[in-house]
Amino acid sequence: MQVRDAMSKQVLLVGPEHTLRQAASMMATRRVGSAVVIDPDAQGIGIMTERDVLYAIGGNLDPDTETVGDHITWDVVYAGPDWTLEDAALAMSRGGFRHLVVLEGTEVVGVVSVRDIMRVWAADHERV
């Protein structure tokens, strides 16, 4: 199985100027654990996850004034849609993260999460 078989193609995109509350609200509405951040004035494509929001709020930061731009993870590992799910799982395990932004060339085509991989693997094992 490949990443394209498990990834979510409906990617939540947010800008660095969104507040943490706005981003968290959009993530909750879409029931996703991450948002891809595209900042044309910075380092390109980053990601903000539910964990970033948790750490900020747990650190007593105000979600109504803190912006996504201050909580972006820029050190992102990108997957290709033709990666195997095993390769994606290994990258996540080695990096200690739960989401991979999927790029085809320079275009964001999806996000794959640990939950996505588990869903596909579980469904595959049910058929056996």
Side-chain angles (χ1 to χ4, degrees):
M1 289 267 188
Q2 295 179 312
V3 165
R4 72 172 34 91
D5 301 316
M7 72 183 189
S8 172
K9 295 176 182 104
Q10 297 291 321
V11 178
L12 174 59
L13 298 173
V14 298
E17 72 285 348
H18 284 96
T19 66
L20 291 183
R21 183 176 309 279
Q22 289 170 324
S25 177
M26 288 185 276
M27 290 165 62
T29 298
R30 292 200 185 179
R31 301 179 53 84
V32 296
S34 67
V36 173
V37 185
I38 298 179
D39 185 353
D41 297 327
Q43 302 173 19
I45 300 169
I47 192 168
M48 191 190 75
T49 68
E50 58 199 356
R51 192 174 288 181
D52 296 320
V53 175
L54 175 72
Y55 291 156
I57 293 173
N60 288 326
L61 299 176
D62 184 350
D64 292 313
T65 59
E66 287 293 313
T67 63
V68 167
D70 293 325
H71 299 278
I72 300 171
T73 300
W74 289 113
D75 188 19
V76 178
V77 175
Y78 304 105
D82 56 345
W83 278 27
T84 67
L85 292 183
E86 290 81 7
D87 289 338
L90 281 171
M92 289 178 190
S93 177
R94 287 184 187 131
F97 45 81
R98 298 177 295 166
H99 300 86
L100 288 171
V101 176
V102 183
L103 295 181
E104 195 156 32
T106 58
E107 182 183 348
V108 176
V109 294
V111 173
V112 65
S113 69
V114 169
R115 182 173 289 161
D116 295 329
I117 293 171
M118 289 174 41
R119 176 183 42 79
V120 170
W121 280 347
D124 193 46
H125 283 80
E126 284 178 352
R127 286 182 249 151
V128 176

